[in-house]
Amino acid sequence: MAKILCVLYPDPQAGYPPKYIRDLQPSLKGPYAEELLSLPEKIRPSEAVVKHENEIYEAFLKEQKNQLLGCVSGKLGLEKWCKDNGHELIVVSDKDGKDSDFDKYLPEADVFITQPFWPAYLTKERIQKAKNLKIAITAGIGSDHVDLKAAAEAGISVVEATGSNSISVAEHIVMMALSLVRNYLPAHALARNGVWNIADCVSRSYDLANMRFGAVGSGRIGYAVLKRMKAFGCELHYTQRHRLPEAVEKELGLTFHKTPEEMAPHMDIISAHIPLYPQTRNLFNEAFFAKVNHGTYFINCARGELVDMDALKKAQEEGKIAAYAGDVWFPQPAPADHPWRTMPFNGMTPHMSGTSLSAQARYISITHEMLKNFLAGKPIPEDYYIVKGDQLSGTGAQSYKL
Ligand code: NDP
Protein backbone atom coordinates (compact mmCIF):
# COMPACT_ATOMS: atom_id res chain seq x y z
CA MET A 1 0.00 0.00 0.00
CA ALA A 2 1.34 3.42 -0.98
CA LYS A 3 0.57 6.89 0.37
CA ILE A 4 -0.08 9.18 -2.57
CA LEU A 5 -0.07 12.92 -1.88
CA CYS A 6 -1.68 15.15 -4.52
CA VAL A 7 -1.48 18.94 -4.33
CA LEU A 8 -4.13 20.31 -6.69
CA TYR A 9 -5.79 23.61 -7.44
CA PRO A 10 -8.94 24.49 -5.44
CA ASP A 11 -12.47 23.72 -6.66
CA PRO A 12 -14.52 26.23 -8.69
CA GLN A 13 -15.71 29.11 -6.50
CA ALA A 14 -19.32 28.17 -7.29
CA GLY A 15 -18.71 24.63 -6.04
CA TYR A 16 -17.99 21.18 -7.47
CA PRO A 17 -19.11 19.62 -9.72
CA PRO A 18 -19.53 22.46 -12.19
CA LYS A 19 -22.15 22.40 -14.94
CA TYR A 20 -20.49 21.45 -18.19
CA ILE A 21 -21.26 23.32 -21.39
CA ARG A 22 -20.51 20.30 -23.59
CA ASP A 23 -21.18 16.59 -23.27
CA LEU A 24 -18.47 15.43 -25.59
CA GLN A 25 -14.73 15.42 -25.46
CA PRO A 26 -12.97 15.51 -28.85
CA SER A 27 -11.03 12.40 -29.78
CA LEU A 28 -7.26 12.29 -29.72
CA LYS A 29 -7.29 10.28 -32.92
CA GLY A 30 -6.73 11.94 -36.28
CA PRO A 31 -5.15 15.40 -36.45
CA TYR A 32 -3.80 15.51 -32.87
CA ALA A 33 -1.92 12.24 -33.23
CA GLU A 34 -0.77 13.17 -36.75
CA GLU A 35 0.64 16.44 -35.42
CA LEU A 36 2.67 14.61 -32.75
CA LEU A 37 4.06 12.31 -35.43
CA SER A 38 5.03 15.25 -37.65
CA LEU A 39 7.26 16.88 -35.00
CA PRO A 40 10.98 17.33 -35.81
CA GLU A 41 12.85 14.06 -35.23
CA LYS A 42 14.59 15.06 -31.97
CA ILE A 43 11.26 15.50 -30.14
CA ARG A 44 9.01 13.20 -32.18
CA PRO A 45 7.46 10.36 -30.12
CA SER A 46 7.55 6.95 -31.75
CA GLU A 47 4.44 5.63 -33.51
CA ALA A 48 4.20 2.97 -30.79
CA VAL A 49 4.11 5.63 -28.04
CA VAL A 50 1.45 7.70 -29.86
CA LYS A 51 -0.65 4.57 -30.48
CA HIS A 52 -0.35 3.54 -26.84
CA GLU A 53 -1.20 7.05 -25.59
CA ASN A 54 -4.26 7.05 -27.89
CA GLU A 55 -5.42 3.79 -26.38
CA ILE A 56 -5.04 4.88 -22.76
CA TYR A 57 -6.65 8.25 -23.55
CA GLU A 58 -9.68 6.66 -25.23
CA ALA A 59 -10.10 4.18 -22.36
CA PHE A 60 -9.75 7.01 -19.85
CA LEU A 61 -12.42 9.12 -21.59
CA LYS A 62 -14.88 6.22 -21.52
CA GLU A 63 -14.41 5.86 -17.78
CA GLN A 64 -14.02 9.46 -16.63
CA LYS A 65 -16.09 11.25 -19.32
CA ASN A 66 -15.75 15.00 -19.71
CA GLN A 67 -14.85 16.05 -16.20
CA LEU A 68 -12.95 18.62 -14.24
CA LEU A 69 -10.41 16.37 -12.54
CA GLY A 70 -7.50 18.76 -11.98
CA CYS A 71 -9.02 20.38 -8.87
CA VAL A 72 -9.26 19.05 -5.31
CA SER A 73 -12.66 17.35 -5.62
CA GLY A 74 -11.71 15.95 -9.05
CA LYS A 75 -8.79 14.14 -7.30
CA LEU A 76 -7.18 13.57 -10.72
CA GLY A 77 -9.77 10.82 -11.17
CA LEU A 78 -7.74 8.60 -8.83
CA GLU A 79 -10.15 8.04 -5.94
CA LYS A 80 -11.80 4.80 -7.06
CA TRP A 81 -8.62 3.22 -8.35
CA CYS A 82 -6.75 3.97 -5.10
CA LYS A 83 -9.59 2.56 -3.02
CA ASP A 84 -9.87 -0.61 -5.15
CA ASN A 85 -6.12 -1.16 -4.94
CA GLY A 86 -5.57 -0.37 -1.27
CA HIS A 87 -3.62 2.86 -1.71
CA GLU A 88 -4.16 5.89 0.51
CA LEU A 89 -4.90 9.04 -1.49
CA ILE A 90 -4.40 12.40 0.25
CA VAL A 91 -5.53 15.45 -1.74
CA VAL A 92 -4.82 19.00 -0.55
CA SER A 93 -4.48 22.47 -2.07
CA ASP A 94 -2.93 24.36 0.84
CA LYS A 95 0.72 24.36 -0.16
CA ASP A 96 2.57 27.52 0.90
CA GLY A 97 3.84 28.72 4.24
CA LYS A 98 5.45 26.72 7.00
CA ASP A 99 2.32 24.98 8.34
CA SER A 100 0.73 24.08 5.04
CA ASP A 101 -1.15 20.81 4.47
CA PHE A 102 1.50 20.00 1.88
CA ASP A 103 4.21 20.17 4.58
CA LYS A 104 2.05 18.20 6.99
CA TYR A 105 1.56 15.18 4.70
CA LEU A 106 4.80 15.22 2.69
CA PRO A 107 6.99 13.39 5.28
CA GLU A 108 4.82 10.26 5.06
CA ALA A 109 4.17 10.27 1.29
CA ASP A 110 5.62 7.62 -1.03
CA VAL A 111 4.37 9.41 -4.14
CA PHE A 112 3.88 13.13 -4.67
CA ILE A 113 1.82 14.53 -7.56
CA THR A 114 1.31 18.19 -8.41
CA GLN A 115 0.51 20.33 -11.42
CA PRO A 116 2.43 23.33 -12.78
CA PHE A 117 -0.79 25.40 -12.67
CA TRP A 118 -0.80 25.20 -8.86
CA PRO A 119 2.75 24.13 -8.19
CA ALA A 120 3.67 22.72 -4.81
CA TYR A 121 7.34 23.76 -4.66
CA LEU A 122 9.40 20.71 -3.74
CA THR A 123 12.45 22.52 -2.36
CA LYS A 124 15.67 21.01 -1.03
CA GLU A 125 14.44 21.56 2.56
CA ARG A 126 11.18 19.73 1.86
CA ILE A 127 13.01 16.90 0.09
CA GLN A 128 15.16 16.43 3.20
CA LYS A 129 11.98 15.92 5.25
CA ALA A 130 10.33 13.62 2.69
CA LYS A 131 12.04 10.47 3.91
CA ASN A 132 9.60 8.04 2.22
CA LEU A 133 9.31 9.84 -1.10
CA LYS A 134 10.28 7.77 -4.12
CA ILE A 135 8.73 9.60 -7.04
CA ALA A 136 7.50 13.13 -7.88
CA ILE A 137 5.00 13.12 -10.71
CA THR A 138 4.18 16.31 -12.60
CA ALA A 139 0.64 16.05 -13.96
CA GLY A 140 1.45 18.32 -16.90
CA ILE A 141 4.72 19.58 -18.41
CA GLY A 142 7.54 21.51 -16.74
CA SER A 143 9.12 20.22 -13.53
CA ASP A 144 10.95 23.35 -12.45
CA HIS A 145 8.86 23.45 -9.24
CA VAL A 146 11.06 20.55 -8.07
CA ASP A 147 14.65 21.19 -6.95
CA LEU A 148 15.92 18.67 -9.49
CA LYS A 149 19.46 18.57 -8.09
CA ALA A 150 18.20 17.80 -4.58
CA ALA A 151 15.79 15.18 -5.98
CA ALA A 152 18.64 13.49 -7.88
CA GLU A 153 20.85 13.54 -4.77
CA ALA A 154 18.04 11.93 -2.76
CA GLY A 155 17.39 9.32 -5.48
CA ILE A 156 13.82 10.55 -6.02
CA SER A 157 12.58 10.01 -9.59
CA VAL A 158 10.87 12.94 -11.30
CA VAL A 159 8.52 12.27 -14.24
CA GLU A 160 6.09 14.36 -16.28
CA ALA A 161 3.49 13.90 -19.03
CA THR A 162 5.76 14.99 -21.90
CA GLY A 163 3.93 16.30 -24.98
CA SER A 164 0.49 15.89 -23.39
CA ASN A 165 -0.67 19.51 -23.47
CA SER A 166 1.66 21.23 -25.93
CA ILE A 167 -1.08 21.84 -28.51
CA SER A 168 -3.36 23.26 -25.80
CA VAL A 169 -0.65 25.78 -24.93
CA ALA A 170 0.07 26.55 -28.59
CA GLU A 171 -3.59 27.44 -29.12
CA HIS A 172 -3.53 29.78 -26.11
CA ILE A 173 -0.45 31.54 -27.52
CA VAL A 174 -2.09 32.04 -30.93
CA MET A 175 -5.16 33.45 -29.16
CA MET A 176 -2.95 35.86 -27.24
CA ALA A 177 -1.05 36.97 -30.35
CA LEU A 178 -4.33 37.74 -32.11
CA SER A 179 -5.90 39.49 -29.16
CA LEU A 180 -2.86 41.71 -28.46
CA VAL A 181 -2.26 42.72 -32.07
CA ARG A 182 -5.93 43.37 -32.86
CA ASN A 183 -6.52 45.12 -29.48
CA TYR A 184 -9.31 42.67 -28.68
CA LEU A 185 -9.44 42.90 -24.87
CA PRO A 186 -9.64 46.74 -24.60
CA ALA A 187 -12.24 46.80 -27.44
CA HIS A 188 -14.28 44.11 -25.68
CA ALA A 189 -14.15 46.13 -22.44
CA LEU A 190 -15.56 49.15 -24.31
CA ALA A 191 -18.37 47.03 -25.76
CA ARG A 192 -19.27 45.68 -22.31
CA ASN A 193 -19.27 49.17 -20.88
CA GLY A 194 -21.88 50.42 -23.35
CA VAL A 195 -19.42 52.46 -25.43
CA TRP A 196 -19.31 52.63 -29.26
CA ASN A 197 -16.13 54.56 -29.93
CA ILE A 198 -14.54 52.88 -32.93
CA ALA A 199 -11.53 55.19 -32.90
CA ASP A 200 -10.58 54.05 -29.39
CA CYS A 201 -10.91 50.43 -30.46
CA VAL A 202 -8.74 50.70 -33.57
CA SER A 203 -6.07 53.22 -32.66
CA ARG A 204 -3.95 50.28 -31.40
CA SER A 205 -5.30 47.61 -33.74
CA TYR A 206 -3.31 46.00 -36.58
CA ASP A 207 -3.48 42.89 -38.77
CA LEU A 208 -1.40 39.86 -37.89
CA ALA A 209 -0.70 39.13 -41.58
CA ASN A 210 2.86 40.01 -42.60
CA MET A 211 4.00 40.57 -39.02
CA ARG A 212 7.38 39.08 -38.09
CA PHE A 213 6.88 36.41 -35.43
CA GLY A 214 9.88 35.15 -33.43
CA ALA A 215 9.79 31.95 -31.38
CA VAL A 216 12.31 31.60 -28.57
CA GLY A 217 12.38 27.79 -28.50
CA SER A 218 10.94 25.65 -31.25
CA GLY A 219 10.30 22.42 -29.38
CA ARG A 220 6.92 20.74 -28.94
CA ILE A 221 5.07 23.97 -28.11
CA GLY A 222 7.17 26.37 -30.20
CA TYR A 223 6.91 24.23 -33.32
CA ALA A 224 3.12 23.88 -32.95
CA VAL A 225 2.87 27.68 -32.54
CA LEU A 226 5.02 28.36 -35.63
CA LYS A 227 2.89 25.99 -37.72
CA ARG A 228 -0.27 27.82 -36.65
CA MET A 229 1.23 31.30 -37.19
CA LYS A 230 2.16 30.32 -40.75
CA ALA A 231 -1.55 30.06 -41.52
CA PHE A 232 -1.92 33.75 -40.60
CA GLY A 233 0.69 34.81 -43.14
CA CYS A 234 3.35 35.80 -40.61
CA GLU A 235 7.05 35.90 -41.44
CA LEU A 236 8.49 33.22 -39.14
CA HIS A 237 11.74 33.34 -37.17
CA TYR A 238 13.14 31.24 -34.32
CA THR A 239 16.08 30.85 -32.01
CA GLN A 240 17.27 27.96 -29.83
CA ARG A 241 20.60 26.31 -29.07
CA HIS A 242 20.37 23.64 -31.80
CA ARG A 243 19.21 24.51 -35.29
CA LEU A 244 16.28 22.54 -36.72
CA PRO A 245 16.93 20.32 -39.77
CA GLU A 246 17.03 22.26 -43.07
CA ALA A 247 13.93 20.48 -44.36
CA VAL A 248 11.89 21.65 -41.34
CA GLU A 249 13.11 25.24 -41.75
CA LYS A 250 12.19 25.10 -45.44
CA GLU A 251 8.74 23.63 -44.84
CA LEU A 252 7.73 26.55 -42.57
CA GLY A 253 9.97 29.19 -44.17
CA LEU A 254 11.86 29.74 -40.90
CA THR A 255 14.76 32.14 -40.40
CA PHE A 256 17.18 31.02 -37.67
CA HIS A 257 18.90 33.42 -35.25
CA LYS A 258 21.68 32.36 -32.90
CA THR A 259 20.36 34.14 -29.80
CA PRO A 260 17.19 35.86 -28.56
CA GLU A 261 19.10 39.20 -28.50
CA GLU A 262 20.12 38.73 -32.15
CA MET A 263 16.55 37.94 -33.16
CA ALA A 264 14.84 40.67 -31.08
CA PRO A 265 15.44 43.78 -33.25
CA HIS A 266 13.91 42.07 -36.30
CA MET A 267 10.59 41.07 -34.68
CA ASP A 268 7.07 42.45 -34.27
CA ILE A 269 5.96 39.65 -31.92
CA ILE A 270 8.19 37.51 -29.67
CA SER A 271 6.93 34.40 -27.88
CA ALA A 272 8.87 32.25 -25.38
CA HIS A 273 8.64 28.43 -25.31
CA ILE A 274 11.68 27.25 -23.35
CA PRO A 275 12.13 25.44 -20.02
CA LEU A 276 13.13 27.22 -16.83
CA TYR A 277 16.50 26.19 -15.40
CA PRO A 278 19.30 28.22 -13.78
CA GLN A 279 20.72 29.42 -17.15
CA THR A 280 17.32 30.63 -18.49
CA ARG A 281 16.09 32.37 -15.32
CA ASN A 282 15.67 36.11 -16.19
CA LEU A 283 16.75 35.48 -19.78
CA PHE A 284 14.37 38.28 -20.79
CA ASN A 285 16.06 41.07 -18.85
CA GLU A 286 16.91 44.73 -19.33
CA ALA A 287 19.65 43.92 -21.88
CA PHE A 288 17.16 41.87 -23.93
CA PHE A 289 14.40 44.49 -23.85
CA ALA A 290 16.96 47.14 -24.90
CA LYS A 291 17.27 45.25 -28.21
CA VAL A 292 13.56 44.95 -29.09
CA ASN A 293 11.83 47.27 -31.55
CA HIS A 294 9.60 50.03 -30.26
CA GLY A 295 6.09 48.54 -30.05
CA THR A 296 6.96 44.81 -29.93
CA TYR A 297 4.35 42.37 -28.58
CA PHE A 298 5.69 39.86 -26.08
CA ILE A 299 4.10 36.55 -25.05
CA ASN A 300 5.25 34.10 -22.40
CA CYS A 301 3.32 30.92 -21.65
CA ALA A 302 6.49 29.05 -20.62
CA ARG A 303 7.51 30.14 -17.10
CA GLY A 304 7.19 33.43 -15.20
CA GLU A 305 10.77 33.44 -13.96
CA LEU A 306 12.15 33.53 -17.51
CA VAL A 307 11.26 37.23 -17.41
CA ASP A 308 12.71 39.91 -15.16
CA MET A 309 9.46 41.33 -13.80
CA ASP A 310 10.69 44.91 -13.31
CA ALA A 311 12.60 45.02 -16.61
CA LEU A 312 9.40 44.08 -18.47
CA LYS A 313 7.39 46.71 -16.62
CA LYS A 314 9.99 49.35 -17.50
CA ALA A 315 10.14 48.24 -21.17
CA GLN A 316 6.40 48.62 -21.38
CA GLU A 317 6.42 52.05 -19.77
CA GLU A 318 9.04 53.13 -22.34
CA GLY A 319 6.87 51.84 -25.22
CA LYS A 320 9.35 49.15 -26.23
CA ILE A 321 6.74 46.52 -25.38
CA ALA A 322 3.36 47.42 -26.87
CA ALA A 323 1.49 44.75 -24.94
CA TYR A 324 2.28 41.63 -22.91
CA ALA A 325 0.38 38.39 -22.47
CA GLY A 326 1.03 35.05 -20.89
CA ASP A 327 -0.29 32.66 -18.29
CA VAL A 328 2.78 32.04 -16.17
CA TRP A 329 3.90 33.96 -13.09
CA PHE A 330 6.15 33.61 -10.09
CA PRO A 331 5.16 32.64 -7.52
CA GLN A 332 1.93 30.86 -8.34
CA PRO A 333 -0.68 31.82 -7.37
CA ALA A 334 0.52 35.37 -8.07
CA PRO A 335 -0.04 37.88 -5.26
CA ALA A 336 -3.00 40.23 -5.73
CA ASP A 337 -0.64 43.19 -6.21
CA HIS A 338 1.59 41.54 -8.83
CA PRO A 339 2.35 44.33 -11.36
CA TRP A 340 1.55 42.11 -14.37
CA ARG A 341 -2.08 41.97 -13.23
CA THR A 342 -2.56 45.71 -13.77
CA MET A 343 0.06 46.67 -16.36
CA PRO A 344 -1.70 48.55 -19.17
CA PHE A 345 -2.48 46.52 -22.30
CA ASN A 346 -1.73 43.19 -20.70
CA GLY A 347 -3.58 40.05 -21.70
CA MET A 348 -2.52 37.88 -18.76
CA THR A 349 -4.52 34.87 -17.57
CA PRO A 350 -3.93 32.67 -14.54
CA HIS A 351 -1.91 29.58 -15.47
CA MET A 352 -4.59 27.75 -17.45
CA SER A 353 -3.43 27.11 -21.02
CA GLY A 354 -2.26 23.57 -20.38
CA THR A 355 -5.22 22.48 -18.24
CA SER A 356 -8.25 22.90 -20.50
CA LEU A 357 -10.64 19.96 -20.05
CA SER A 358 -9.21 18.51 -23.27
CA ALA A 359 -5.65 18.85 -21.93
CA GLN A 360 -6.64 17.34 -18.56
CA ALA A 361 -7.88 14.17 -20.17
CA ARG A 362 -4.56 13.78 -21.94
CA TYR A 363 -2.15 14.60 -19.11
CA ILE A 364 -4.18 12.85 -16.42
CA SER A 365 -4.46 9.63 -18.44
CA ILE A 366 -0.66 9.64 -18.82
CA THR A 367 -0.29 10.45 -15.10
CA HIS A 368 -2.41 7.38 -14.24
CA GLU A 369 -0.23 5.27 -16.50
CA MET A 370 3.00 6.52 -14.88
CA LEU A 371 1.62 6.01 -11.37
CA LYS A 372 0.27 2.52 -12.03
CA ASN A 373 3.47 1.41 -13.76
CA PHE A 374 5.58 2.77 -10.92
CA LEU A 375 3.55 1.04 -8.19
CA ALA A 376 3.52 -2.22 -10.14
CA GLY A 377 7.30 -2.09 -10.66
CA LYS A 378 6.85 -1.78 -14.43
CA PRO A 379 9.00 0.57 -16.54
CA ILE A 380 7.87 4.13 -17.23
CA PRO A 381 8.59 5.27 -20.82
CA GLU A 382 11.94 7.07 -20.99
CA ASP A 383 10.35 10.16 -22.66
CA TYR A 384 8.47 10.93 -19.42
CA TYR A 385 11.58 10.96 -17.20
CA ILE A 386 13.15 14.17 -15.91
CA VAL A 387 15.28 12.64 -13.13
CA LYS A 388 16.03 8.93 -12.83
CA GLY A 389 18.35 7.56 -10.15
CA ASP A 390 20.85 10.30 -9.41
CA GLN A 391 20.79 12.09 -12.77
CA LEU A 392 18.74 13.81 -15.45
CA SER A 393 17.25 11.35 -17.89
CA GLY A 394 14.88 11.22 -20.89
CA THR A 395 13.23 14.60 -21.54
CA GLY A 396 15.01 15.94 -18.45
CA ALA A 397 18.42 15.31 -20.00
CA GLN A 398 17.36 17.33 -23.08
CA SER A 399 15.54 20.12 -21.27
CA TYR A 400 17.28 20.83 -17.96
CA LYS A 401 20.68 21.32 -16.39
CA LEU A 402 21.43 20.55 -12.73
P1 NDP B 1 10.45 21.10 -25.44
O1 NDP B 1 11.53 20.44 -24.63
O2 NDP B 1 9.74 20.32 -26.47
O3 NDP B 1 11.08 22.39 -26.14
C1 NDP B 1 11.88 23.31 -25.47
C2 NDP B 1 12.71 24.06 -26.50
O4 NDP B 1 13.47 25.06 -25.83
C3 NDP B 1 13.69 23.15 -27.23
O5 NDP B 1 13.45 23.24 -28.61
C4 NDP B 1 15.06 23.70 -26.84
O6 NDP B 1 15.93 23.65 -27.97
C5 NDP B 1 14.76 25.13 -26.43
N1 NDP B 1 15.69 25.66 -25.43
C6 NDP B 1 16.07 25.10 -24.27
N2 NDP B 1 16.96 25.87 -23.63
C7 NDP B 1 17.13 26.97 -24.42
C8 NDP B 1 17.94 28.14 -24.31
N3 NDP B 1 18.75 28.34 -23.26
N4 NDP B 1 17.86 29.07 -25.30
C9 NDP B 1 17.05 28.88 -26.37
N5 NDP B 1 16.28 27.78 -26.53
C10 NDP B 1 16.32 26.84 -25.57
O7 NDP B 1 9.44 21.71 -24.39
P2 NDP B 1 7.91 22.10 -24.62
O8 NDP B 1 7.80 22.86 -25.89
O9 NDP B 1 7.04 20.92 -24.41
O10 NDP B 1 7.67 23.05 -23.36
C11 NDP B 1 8.48 24.22 -23.15
C12 NDP B 1 8.17 24.78 -21.77
O11 NDP B 1 6.85 25.30 -21.77
C13 NDP B 1 8.17 23.73 -20.63
O12 NDP B 1 9.46 23.51 -20.14
C14 NDP B 1 7.26 24.36 -19.60
O13 NDP B 1 8.01 25.16 -18.72
C15 NDP B 1 6.33 25.26 -20.44
N6 NDP B 1 4.96 24.73 -20.46
C16 NDP B 1 3.93 25.56 -20.08
C17 NDP B 1 2.62 25.10 -20.03
C18 NDP B 1 1.48 25.99 -19.65
O14 NDP B 1 0.43 25.50 -19.26
N7 NDP B 1 1.63 27.30 -19.76
C19 NDP B 1 2.31 23.70 -20.35
C20 NDP B 1 3.42 22.96 -20.90
C21 NDP B 1 4.70 23.46 -20.89
P3 NDP B 1 17.53 23.54 -27.79
O15 NDP B 1 17.75 22.37 -26.88
O16 NDP B 1 18.02 23.36 -29.19
O17 NDP B 1 17.97 24.83 -27.21
Side-chain angles (χ1 to χ4, degrees), residues 39 42-43 116-117 140-144 160-166 168-169 172-173 215-224 238-244 256 258-260 272-277 279-280 283 300-304 306 326-328 332 350-355 395 398-401:
L39 283 168
K42 195 175 129 198
I43 48 174
F117 325 105
I141 302 175
S143 295
D144 47 275
E160 66 179 36
T162 304
S164 58
N165 60 9
S166 37
S168 320
V169 181
H172 205 78
I173 292 167
V216 182
S218 177
R220 293 166 185 85
I221 295 173
Y223 184 72
Y238 80 104
T239 177
Q240 59 183 13
R241 292 165 307 176
H242 309 93
R243 204 166 166 165
L244 289 167
F256 175 72
K258 287 203 181 95
T259 63
H273 331 102
I274 59 175
L276 175 69
Y277 51 91
Q279 290 78 1
T280 59
L283 183 74
N300 173 22
C301 286
R303 282 296 178 264
L306 293 172
D327 75 334
V328 286
Q332 288 188 180
H351 194 164
M352 60 170 282
S353 60
T355 186
T395 295
Q398 274 182 15
S399 301
Y400 294 100
K401 288 196 185 333

Side-chain angles (χ1 to χ4, degrees), residues 288-304:
F288 171 80
F289 289 119
K291 301 269 185 199
V292 306
N293 269 319
H294 178 82
T296 299
Y297 302 94
F298 187 56
I299 301 169
N300 173 22
C301 286
R303 282 296 178 264

